[in-house]
Amino acid sequence: MNIHEYQAKEILKNYGVAIQQGVVVESPEKATDAAKTLADQTGTGWFVVKAQIHAGGRGKGKVQETDSNGVVLAKSLEEVPEKVKNIIGGTLVTHQTGPQGKKVNKVLIAEDVYYPGESDPKEFYLSILLDRAKGCNVIMASTEGGMDIEEVAAATPEKIIKEWIDPGVGLQPFQARKVAFALGLEGKAMKEMVKFIFALYKAYESTDSSMFEINPVLKTSDDKILAVDAKVNLDENALYRHKDLAELRDITEEDPLEVEAGKNGLNYVKLDGNVGCMVNGAGLAMATMDIIKLSGGDPANFLDVGGGANAETVEAGFRIILKDPNVKAILINIFGGIVRCDRVASGVVEAYKNIGEINVPIIVRLQGTNAEEGAKIIEESGLQVTSAILLKDAAQKVKDVLS
Amino acid sequence: MSVLVNKDSKIIVQGFTGSEGTFHAEQMIAYGTNVVGGVTPGKGGQTHLGLPVFNTVRQAVTEAKADVSVIFVPPAFAADAIMEAADAGIKVIITITEGIPTKDMIMVKEYLSNKDVRMVGPNCPGVITPDEAKVGIMPGFIHRKGTIGIVSRSGTLTYEAVDQITKVGLGQSTCIGIGGDPIIGTTTKDAVQLLMEDPETEGIIMIGEIGGSMESEAAQWVKENATKPVVGFIAGQTAPPGRRMGHAGAIIGGADDTAEAKMRIMKECGVHVVESPADIGETMARVLGKEVVGS
């Protein structure tokens, strides 16, 4: 589960990770008060106004309505309301949002941490994530702060430092020192970085996170180490033991169809294609999307109805797929194990009748338990539904309806 | 021969008296699997489905000589159940449970690392050796005893492959559902290796999906060690990056864990890669030079 920057920073702060302080606001009217409070707390005279959406690239991204960037600097308290107004309520388009962009409902007004001083401020990259192959967590760091880490990894892999954490003993001080020295830090800044890494790892473990990305981590001109941005991804399987974190979910950041599917116990991911699909099982669902592509179409969605496919879930699935205007055909692919195909077939027929007008061709492929009985129900229903037993027949039928 | 489970396996069900455990234990018994009992803490001494219920796995090992355990315990208690089985001396642990937190699995994997035990799963359909033992939730009737070993991260997609193999007249030696989570006990490479070393297996089907690097590692191993043909498929050629496709582990994080990249590496390593999941069975028959029976 993704959360906002301001929420992520709140979590970090609770575990003693030093952060760039800020106040979140939902309207421009509250901006001045928020900035004043922040100025009193931190002494900052400049303010960074940051759009809060679940996507990266905000700094370079543009708010469509006003042409403002998603992260801007206000060099006085007076400038803050205008800057906030140009972002809040607008649609921010970044390289991660897609061309439709994301609506900005909240902005974070943050202190300026790049103030001049004894040394130059320096940005770093730091993340904690799961190394699937090794079965343990890994800390990744780089001197190339503020950059896209995938680009750094591709162009200059030697600039990425990795420390794997032994699950038996946890993070050790020498590992944190190794990272700090490898980043070229010394003296107070080195010690601050060690403290920062320890607090960060503690936060990661305690919250059952699956990814922390702090980009950039800043060494200030007075040798403090701060998280200037924070991306936190929580393990959804562990939310049952973190009720407080589960509440951080912001459904306005999710596709409304995906939210609706979730309420019906369906696992749905909206895509851009023209052939909808409904499948039991995630692997078979992905394979069905691939079949659609090989048949000359493009999948309009991923939809796993799970192990309990019945009339209700099939109908809910239909309704969700049909809300997508791009859908020109629907392929239902069920491999019956515990799920009986005749029941799914009855569900299809029932859903079809309940929904009424369905103007796209439907191909139903049923295999496994009671597949033939299922096919018979479909054929005898008199509905405009084609049935198939073998996967390659289903593929051919998709090809036929698209041509 | 077969791998992991056979007619002599003495199987217990952890989470025996729960609804999932009961339903699937019944199905396993009906298939002819040698289920010797189950474990539900606090219900020891009772009889369930005509079999003894034990309080601890240790008792099941001592009294019923159990050597394989299949776990249906809910996610919050699953890690504990796996470690209990390993501590009691169970040799093969098959974890069906979906939704175990990753942190728990990191701990479990570490705990199992210095013990003589093999864990399959979690979030998997289980393992079946046709006509001998069905240890999991797969529909038994689609299988037919034969010589093709199947390794897969998915449930229903495995059934699809099984069905195709049965329909081309080959049948299966053992089918191993390794599971769709980011951290699993038996990797693609581990499972392929088991089947490569099994004298009854003539060909191996390896079904992967987007996310992680397991298929690439298995392919490298195949390149150096294969003594029998391997047919491979990767699901998710059309999946967008950064989105989780149902399975917790099915997410494209970078350029190396796309279906395209994995399929390329598999081809380079001599795996017979099929583009369409509809071609798995026929490709295996063709590679083995067998005549396709019906279709």
Side-chain angles (χ1 to χ4, degrees), chain A residues 125-145:
Chain A
Y125 171 94
L126 197 61
S127 64
I128 308 174
L129 66 159
L130 174 71
D131 183 324
R132 294 169 61 155
K134 289 192 160 60
C136 67
N137 293 316
V138 58
I139 295 179
M140 275 174 48
S142 166
T143 50
E144 308 303 291

Side-chain angles (χ1 to χ4, degrees), chain B residues 175-195:
Chain B
C175 307
I176 310 169
I178 58 172
D181 275 1
I183 297 205
I184 53 177
T186 296
T187 62
T188 310
K189 192 214 93 181
D190 297 338
V192 166
Q193 186 172 357
L194 284 171
L195 292 164

Side-chain angles (χ1 to χ4, degrees), chain B:
Chain B
M1 275 285 288
S2 52
V3 301
L4 297 171
V5 296
N6 59 39
K7 61 183 183 334
D8 300 319
S9 301
K10 292 187 176 62
I11 295 147
I12 52 159
V13 179
Q14 284 177 261
F16 191 33
T17 57
S19 62
E20 290 283 305
T22 300
F23 177 80
H24 291 291
E26 277 175 334
Q27 301 282 315
M28 283 161 53
I29 295 163
Y31 189 79
T33 309
N34 185 22
V35 179
V36 298
V39 176
T40 299
K43 292 195 178 174
Q46 297 181 9
T47 300
H48 185 63
L49 308 178
L51 294 166
V53 183
F54 300 99
N55 275 328
T56 66
V57 181
R58 176 75 66 185
Q59 280 175 313
V61 169
T62 313
E63 293 172 34
K65 304 278 173 279
D67 55 7
V68 175
S69 176
V70 57
I71 296 181
F72 291 99
V73 171
F77 314 104
D80 181 53
I82 298 167
M83 292 188 283
E84 182 186 354
D87 175 68
I90 292 284
K91 293 286 168 256
V92 176
I93 303 169
I94 297 168
T95 309
I96 309 299
T97 309
E98 177 175 4
I100 305 176
T102 300
K103 193 165 85 177
D104 294 8
M105 285 312 303
I106 292 176
M107 182 177 67
V108 166
K109 200 154 176 158
E110 167 76 8
Y111 185 84
L112 299 185
S113 64
N114 56 5
K115 291 195 164 52
D116 177 27
V117 57
R118 173 162 297 285
M119 209 256 292
V120 178
N123 189 11
C124 79
V127 180
I128 183 168
T129 296
D131 293 352
E132 297 195 30
K134 165 177 130 72
V135 190
I137 60 173
M138 65 292 281
F141 75 95
I142 58 171
H143 299 82
R144 191 178 113 171
K145 194 165 190 61
T147 58
I148 306 303
I150 300 180
V151 179
S152 168
R153 281 165 74 181
S154 148
T156 44
L157 183 55
T158 317
Y159 312 161
E160 176 64 42
V162 165
D163 189 58
Q164 289 181 27
I165 288 297
T166 298
K167 286 206 164 80
V168 297
L170 288 169
Q172 307 83 33
S173 51
T174 299
C175 307
I176 310 169
I178 58 172
D181 275 1
I183 297 205
I184 53 177
T186 296
T187 62
T188 310
K189 192 214 93 181
D190 297 338
V192 166
Q193 186 172 357
L194 284 171
L195 292 164
M196 202 64 82
E197 288 161 3
D198 171 36
E200 265 186 20
T201 298
E202 286 183 347
I204 299 168
I205 291 172
M206 173 176 137
I207 298 173
E209 60 192 32
I210 53 166
S213 56
M214 284 197 307
E215 295 85 356
S216 308
E217 285 151 23
Q220 289 295 344
W221 187 89
V222 165
K223 187 182 178 183
E224 284 151 27
N225 300 284
T227 52
K228 22 189 126 156
V230 180
V231 171
F233 173 72
I234 301 289
Q237 298 166 55
T238 50
R243 294 303 308 269
R244 208 168 288 282
M245 306 305 277
H247 289 154
I251 180 164
I252 298 173
D256 296 336
D257 58 1
T258 61
E260 195 194 357
K262 292 189 190 198
M263 286 163 104
R264 193 188 60 238
I265 291 168
M266 283 158 63
K267 274 182 203 158
E268 284 165 9
C269 293
V271 174
H272 302 271
V273 176
V274 294
E275 302 278 331
S276 166
D279 296 339
I280 295 169
E282 284 178 16
T283 303
M284 181 51 91
R286 189 170 43 75
V287 166
L288 287 174
K290 306 250 172 158
E291 208 178 307
V292 177
V293 186
S295 71

Side-chain angles (χ1 to χ4, degrees), chain A residues 82-377:
Chain A
E82 188 64 20
K83 303 271 183 192
V84 170
K85 209 170 149 194
N86 284 339
I87 295 176
I88 211 156
T91 310
L92 180 57
V93 179
T94 80
H95 71 280
Q96 287 187 5
T97 59
Q100 75 286 355
K102 282 198 158 184
K103 183 151 185 269
V104 185
N105 296 316
K106 289 178 180 147
V107 299
L108 179 65
I109 301 170
E111 62 174 325
D112 167 42
V113 284
Y114 291 79
Y115 47 82
E118 285 181 12
S119 63
D120 287 334
K122 169 102 182 76
E123 291 183 330
F124 302 102
Y125 171 94
L126 197 61
S127 64
I128 308 174
L129 66 159
L130 174 71
D131 183 324
R132 294 169 61 155
K134 289 192 160 60
C136 67
N137 293 316
V138 58
I139 295 179
M140 275 174 48
S142 166
T143 50
E144 308 303 291
M147 306 262 294
D148 182 337
I149 198 67
E150 292 240 336
E151 283 171 24
V152 177
T156 47
E158 73 282 359
K159 287 192 174 159
I160 294 186
I161 305 148
K162 289 187 179 182
E163 272 301 308
W164 285 272
I165 313 303
D166 185 314
V169 297
L171 175 66
Q172 295 302 305
F174 77 89
Q175 295 184 291
R177 287 198 302 272
K178 226 164 114 185
V179 172
F181 282 124
L183 292 174
L185 296 170
E186 49 192 35
K188 183 189 166 201
M190 188 279 288
K191 287 183 184 147
E192 289 288 317
M193 180 59 92
V194 169
K195 252 165 68 186
F196 184 89
I197 292 171
F198 256 87
L200 195 69
Y201 193 73
K202 171 99 169 107
Y204 177 88
E205 283 252 285
S206 308
T207 52
D208 267 296
S209 285
S210 44
M211 208 258 309
F212 266 17
E213 187 175 66
I214 314 299
N215 189 21
V217 173
L218 183 73
K219 182 201 78 69
T220 62
S221 60
D222 50 356
D223 285 351
K224 287 182 197 146
I225 304 290
L226 301 174
V228 177
D229 195 1
K231 190 175 164 192
V232 163
N233 200 309
L234 302 165
D235 179 1
E236 283 170 39
N237 287 345
L239 285 177
Y240 72 89
R241 56 190 177 202
H242 301 285
K243 298 279 190 285
D244 53 332
L245 300 179
E247 283 170 13
L248 300 179
R249 181 176 174 199
D250 180 356
I251 59 166
T252 65
E253 287 289 328
E254 298 171 31
D255 185 292
L257 286 181
E258 294 181 11
V259 174
E260 191 187 329
K263 283 183 191 154
N264 287 289
L266 304 170
N267 204 330
Y268 171 88
V269 177
K270 168 101 175 58
L271 302 170
D272 298 329
N274 55 358
V275 180
C277 59
M278 185 171 0
V279 188
N280 66 328
L284 191 60
M286 280 187 271
T288 304
M289 287 159 50
D290 297 342
I291 286 259
I292 289 169
K293 180 81 176 177
L294 292 167
S295 303
D298 275 303
N301 64 279
F302 165 94
L303 175 54
D304 174 10
V305 297
N310 57 34
E312 289 78 46
T313 51
V314 170
E315 185 174 332
F318 262 130
R319 288 188 188 275
I320 287 160
I321 293 172
L322 289 167
K323 277 187 188 158
D324 178 352
N326 298 328
V327 169
K328 301 283 175 283
I330 298 175
L331 171 59
I332 298 178
N333 186 11
I334 302 290
F335 200 107
I338 304 152
V339 174
R340 281 170 42 188
C341 291
D342 54 331
R343 288 216 182 134
V344 175
S346 305
V348 170
V349 173
E350 215 174 294
Y352 206 107
K353 286 178 180 159
N354 286 344
I355 294 169
E357 202 76 349
I358 296 182
N359 294 318
V360 299
I362 294 172
I363 300 138
V364 182
R365 184 269 179 156
L366 299 169
Q367 179 62 287
T369 312
N370 294 0
E372 279 166 19
E373 290 87 336
K376 212 171 142 200
I377 291 169

